[in-house]
Amino acid sequence: MVREDIRNIAIIAHVDHGKTTLVDALLHQSGIFRDNQEVVERVMDSGDLERERGITILAKNTSLTYEDYKINILDTPGHADFGGEVERALEMANGVLLVVDAYEGCMPQTRFVLKKALDLNLTPVIVINKVDRPNGRPTEVVDEVLELLLDLGASDEQLDSPVVFCSAREGWASLDASVPGTDMKPLFRTIIDAIPAPVGDPEGDLQLLVSNIDYDAYTGRIAVGRIDRGAIKVGDNCVVCRKDGTTSGIRISNLYVFRNMARVPVEGASAGEIVAISGLKDINIGETVCDPQNIEPLPFVAIDEPVLSMTFTVNKSPFAGKDGEYVTSRHLRDRLFRELESNISLRVEETDSPDSFVVSGRGELHLSVLIEEMRRGGYEFAVTSPKVITKIVNGQVWEPYESLFVDLPDEYTGVLIEGAAARKAELLNMTPTQGGYTRVEFLIPARGLIGYRSQLMTETRGTAVLNHIFDSFKPFKGEISHRSRGSLIAHETGEAVAYGLHAAQERGALFIGPGTEVYEGMIVGESSRGEDIPVNVCKRKHATNMRSAAADEALRLTPPKVLSLEECLEFIADDELVEVTPKNIRMRKDILDAGLRAKANYAASKARQ
């Protein structure tokens, strides 16, 4: 049976192509908000981190009603590091809106998410957004998308996808690139006409694949998925098919559907509908809820493997326990393994030490968002520098490679190519774009990207735009110099003062200012040389009864360079850690004592010889 009254769509795009703004326009024009209701921009980006960074991190469900149709919308992340959110969201959709910027055109994530959608045989609708940009090139971008569809092996039906031109910010859509629209009705109509209605047998035995996990403080875990077959009612006894092949019985105590921006309780729902079930303690993503009389699990989409890992460990610095509420290894372990329940792209492994855990993810941003969420939740811990995950293939070490795309002014292309070559990147393509810019494409080891963004931003005065996405595993390409300069390390514990900082800034760039509490072994700056330099930032000027001519001159300090969490992770070397607390982010040496550190470095150099 075909559910003609429902359309299930996922909205996919490269980061910053206007996907969440488009959802805003659709929600407003469907009439779900009152005329006098105050609604924030990017209403679907509900998390604090999402609003601060301007990106979607978690896939979310909403729905709206247009004419007599219910449209379930799945807003997905645009950054490649959160690709696992996209992959599982596509399981609930019957079609996708592929949003592409009218100026930037097809970008790395566009290829990635479109490939996933085509593999699932979903019907795409091409949405060329931001056509009101002065330098937009909508008709050329349509050709680029069609070429991409050909490259990805799209079927004839998928190649015949409809195209809608729109300005999500202005709130209009049009079927003609040269004629601005007045509202979003052309897009609504295209969704109804082009996206297939869900098909399922409401009289058959229940099959529901869990594609997302939500949490509510009152009802606990909430499983979200699309009913593939049959119907479900409150009070039904069902069976959950686990990923390990085992089964267990459950009772449906609460059932919800998505209506506008809320979950609405219902007594029952049938095939084709996206529902949420609460009150299930241990259900996980990828598991199937079935009828007890016909236990038949559904296959779940294969999630791409992590490529980066870092070690999370209990904070053991001299300032440990001052800020955090959760500081023990038990707290750290519980929080990391709880993250696995909803973050399916993440891996957590226990080590020989009960205080340390290896956490693997899809990229630096994926892991740094987890770290930031934990510190805001009151956790205190330390992390090592990111390491790529390698494989052994036919006795040879293989490592992950990324496709790197850089858009930058023409005058900086030489600097880019020189810097990328030093990180073992292979130049694939150079294409001039509009406005004196060039797009350069590389194939680069994932190791080479660690710390490269901040370096390139400095070299190009912040004008470069970097995008990268996982390509494949290839043979190990040799050593890459991660950092050419050492660290400035605090010589003693105390409070940094202007006199000591003034002397230390001659040795390099400082990361702290006067009044900062420091401890021995803490990193307070970047050395101007290739080796680490100990500095005494707590040193005070001795008081004497003699006055010099310059005694009253104020000390001039260069403003410190304050690093973000991502910049700290990129900066630290193999023998350094980032200490993360709810109030502070510090960098430190793994071995704090200078004498013990020197002995360890000497032993390591002897071992290498």
Side-chain angles (χ1 to χ4, degrees), residues 1-4 8 94 197-205 207 226-231 270-273:
M1 182 179 292
V2 179
R3 288 290 304 270
E4 284 292 350
N8 298 320
N94 299 107
V199 178
D201 179 8
E203 304 300 325
D205 296 325
Q207 272 188 318
R226 188 185 73 195
I227 303 174
D228 200 65
R229 187 180 68 198
S270 61
E273 183 66 273

Short mmCIF file of all heavy atoms in Angstrom, two decimals, residues 1-4 8 94 197-205 207 226-231 270-273:
data_model
loop_
_atom_site.label_atom_id
_atom_site.label_comp_id
_atom_site.label_asym_id
_atom_site.label_seq_id
_atom_site.Cartn_x
_atom_site.Cartn_y
_atom_site.Cartn_z
N MET A 1 0.84 -1.20 0.00
CA MET A 1 0.00 0.00 0.00
C MET A 1 0.88 1.24 0.00
O MET A 1 1.93 1.28 0.65
CB MET A 1 -0.92 0.01 1.23
CG MET A 1 -1.87 1.19 1.28
SD MET A 1 -2.94 1.13 2.73
CE MET A 1 -3.95 -0.30 2.33
N VAL A 2 0.45 2.28 -0.73
CA VAL A 2 1.19 3.53 -0.81
C VAL A 2 0.54 4.55 0.11
O VAL A 2 -0.67 4.77 0.05
CB VAL A 2 1.22 4.06 -2.27
CG1 VAL A 2 1.97 5.37 -2.34
CG2 VAL A 2 1.85 3.03 -3.19
N ARG A 3 1.35 5.18 0.98
CA ARG A 3 0.84 6.23 1.87
C ARG A 3 0.93 7.56 1.16
O ARG A 3 1.88 8.33 1.33
CB ARG A 3 1.67 6.26 3.16
CG ARG A 3 1.43 5.10 4.09
CD ARG A 3 0.06 5.15 4.74
NE ARG A 3 -0.20 6.37 5.46
CZ ARG A 3 0.08 6.56 6.75
NH1 ARG A 3 0.65 5.59 7.45
NH2 ARG A 3 -0.21 7.71 7.33
N GLU A 4 -0.04 7.88 0.34
CA GLU A 4 0.00 9.09 -0.48
C GLU A 4 -0.01 10.37 0.35
O GLU A 4 0.36 11.44 -0.14
CB GLU A 4 -1.17 9.11 -1.47
CG GLU A 4 -1.00 8.18 -2.66
CD GLU A 4 0.10 8.63 -3.60
OE1 GLU A 4 0.61 9.76 -3.43
OE2 GLU A 4 0.47 7.85 -4.50
N ASN A 8 8.56 11.54 3.16
CA ASN A 8 9.70 11.52 4.07
C ASN A 8 10.95 11.98 3.32
O ASN A 8 11.41 11.29 2.40
CB ASN A 8 9.93 10.11 4.64
CG ASN A 8 8.75 9.61 5.44
OD1 ASN A 8 8.14 10.38 6.19
ND2 ASN A 8 8.41 8.34 5.30
N ASN A 94 12.59 8.68 1.92
CA ASN A 94 12.27 8.13 0.60
C ASN A 94 12.85 8.98 -0.53
O ASN A 94 12.85 8.57 -1.69
CB ASN A 94 10.76 8.03 0.41
CG ASN A 94 10.12 7.11 1.43
OD1 ASN A 94 9.45 7.56 2.35
ND2 ASN A 94 10.32 5.81 1.28
N ALA A 197 6.02 8.52 -2.42
CA ALA A 197 5.33 8.26 -1.15
C ALA A 197 5.84 6.95 -0.57
O ALA A 197 6.22 6.04 -1.30
CB ALA A 197 3.83 8.19 -1.39
N PRO A 198 5.90 6.83 0.77
CA PRO A 198 6.37 5.57 1.37
C PRO A 198 5.43 4.41 1.05
O PRO A 198 4.22 4.59 0.97
CB PRO A 198 6.39 5.88 2.87
CG PRO A 198 5.49 7.05 3.04
CD PRO A 198 5.56 7.84 1.78
N VAL A 199 6.02 3.26 0.86
CA VAL A 199 5.26 2.06 0.52
C VAL A 199 5.44 1.03 1.64
O VAL A 199 6.55 0.81 2.12
CB VAL A 199 5.75 1.46 -0.82
CG1 VAL A 199 4.99 0.18 -1.14
CG2 VAL A 199 5.60 2.47 -1.94
N GLY A 200 4.36 0.44 2.09
CA GLY A 200 4.46 -0.59 3.11
C GLY A 200 3.11 -1.25 3.32
O GLY A 200 2.06 -0.67 3.01
N ASP A 201 3.14 -2.43 3.86
CA ASP A 201 1.90 -3.19 4.08
C ASP A 201 1.44 -2.96 5.52
O ASP A 201 2.02 -3.52 6.47
CB ASP A 201 2.16 -4.67 3.85
CG ASP A 201 0.91 -5.51 4.08
OD1 ASP A 201 -0.18 -4.91 4.28
OD2 ASP A 201 1.02 -6.74 4.07
N PRO A 202 0.42 -2.13 5.75
CA PRO A 202 -0.02 -1.87 7.13
C PRO A 202 -0.65 -3.09 7.79
O PRO A 202 -0.77 -3.13 9.02
CB PRO A 202 -1.05 -0.74 6.95
CG PRO A 202 -1.54 -0.86 5.55
CD PRO A 202 -0.39 -1.40 4.75
N GLU A 203 -1.04 -4.10 6.99
CA GLU A 203 -1.64 -5.31 7.55
C GLU A 203 -0.60 -6.38 7.85
O GLU A 203 -0.93 -7.42 8.43
CB GLU A 203 -2.68 -5.87 6.57
CG GLU A 203 -3.78 -4.89 6.18
CD GLU A 203 -4.57 -4.41 7.38
OE1 GLU A 203 -4.76 -5.23 8.32
OE2 GLU A 203 -4.97 -3.24 7.41
N GLY A 204 0.67 -6.16 7.43
CA GLY A 204 1.71 -7.16 7.64
C GLY A 204 2.23 -7.15 9.06
O GLY A 204 1.76 -6.40 9.93
N ASP A 205 3.23 -7.98 9.30
CA ASP A 205 3.86 -8.05 10.62
C ASP A 205 4.84 -6.88 10.79
O ASP A 205 5.55 -6.51 9.86
CB ASP A 205 4.62 -9.38 10.78
CG ASP A 205 3.68 -10.57 10.74
OD1 ASP A 205 2.55 -10.44 11.24
OD2 ASP A 205 4.06 -11.61 10.17
N GLN A 207 7.70 -4.23 11.31
CA GLN A 207 9.14 -4.06 11.13
C GLN A 207 9.45 -2.57 11.26
O GLN A 207 8.93 -1.76 10.50
CB GLN A 207 9.60 -4.54 9.75
CG GLN A 207 9.97 -6.00 9.66
CD GLN A 207 10.59 -6.31 8.31
OE1 GLN A 207 10.14 -5.83 7.29
NE2 GLN A 207 11.63 -7.12 8.31
N ARG A 226 11.51 4.67 11.07
CA ARG A 226 10.37 4.61 10.16
C ARG A 226 9.77 3.20 10.18
O ARG A 226 10.50 2.20 10.16
CB ARG A 226 10.81 4.96 8.74
CG ARG A 226 9.65 5.12 7.76
CD ARG A 226 10.16 5.35 6.36
NE ARG A 226 10.73 4.12 5.80
CZ ARG A 226 11.50 4.08 4.72
NH1 ARG A 226 11.81 5.18 4.09
NH2 ARG A 226 11.96 2.93 4.27
N ILE A 227 8.45 3.14 10.22
CA ILE A 227 7.78 1.83 10.18
C ILE A 227 7.85 1.33 8.75
O ILE A 227 7.28 1.92 7.83
CB ILE A 227 6.31 1.94 10.63
CG1 ILE A 227 6.23 2.53 12.05
CG2 ILE A 227 5.63 0.58 10.59
CD1 ILE A 227 4.81 2.81 12.51
N ASP A 228 8.57 0.23 8.54
CA ASP A 228 8.75 -0.32 7.20
C ASP A 228 7.56 -1.19 6.80
O ASP A 228 7.18 -1.24 5.63
CB ASP A 228 10.05 -1.14 7.17
CG ASP A 228 10.55 -1.34 5.75
OD1 ASP A 228 10.92 -0.34 5.11
OD2 ASP A 228 10.57 -2.50 5.29
N ARG A 229 6.97 -1.85 7.80
CA ARG A 229 5.85 -2.75 7.51
C ARG A 229 5.00 -2.89 8.76
O ARG A 229 5.50 -2.82 9.89
CB ARG A 229 6.40 -4.13 7.10
CG ARG A 229 5.35 -5.12 6.62
CD ARG A 229 6.02 -6.44 6.24
NE ARG A 229 6.56 -7.13 7.41
CZ ARG A 229 7.48 -8.11 7.34
NH1 ARG A 229 7.94 -8.49 6.19
NH2 ARG A 229 7.91 -8.69 8.44
N GLY A 230 3.69 -3.08 8.56
CA GLY A 230 2.80 -3.33 9.69
C GLY A 230 2.37 -2.06 10.39
O GLY A 230 2.47 -0.95 9.85
N ALA A 231 1.91 -2.22 11.62
CA ALA A 231 1.43 -1.09 12.43
C ALA A 231 1.87 -1.31 13.87
O ALA A 231 2.20 -2.43 14.27
CB ALA A 231 -0.09 -0.98 12.34
N SER A 270 1.06 3.52 11.43
CA SER A 270 1.22 2.40 10.50
C SER A 270 2.34 2.65 9.52
O SER A 270 3.04 3.69 9.58
CB SER A 270 -0.10 2.16 9.74
OG SER A 270 -0.46 3.30 8.99
N ALA A 271 2.55 1.72 8.60
CA ALA A 271 3.69 1.72 7.67
C ALA A 271 3.85 3.06 6.97
O ALA A 271 2.88 3.68 6.54
CB ALA A 271 3.51 0.61 6.65
N GLY A 272 5.11 3.50 6.85
CA GLY A 272 5.44 4.75 6.17
C GLY A 272 5.65 5.91 7.10
O GLY A 272 6.29 6.89 6.75
N GLU A 273 5.14 5.83 8.32
CA GLU A 273 5.25 6.93 9.27
C GLU A 273 6.57 6.84 10.05
O GLU A 273 7.07 5.75 10.33
CB GLU A 273 4.06 6.89 10.24
CG GLU A 273 4.01 8.03 11.23
CD GLU A 273 3.77 9.38 10.59
OE1 GLU A 273 4.78 10.01 10.19
OE2 GLU A 273 2.60 9.80 10.47
#
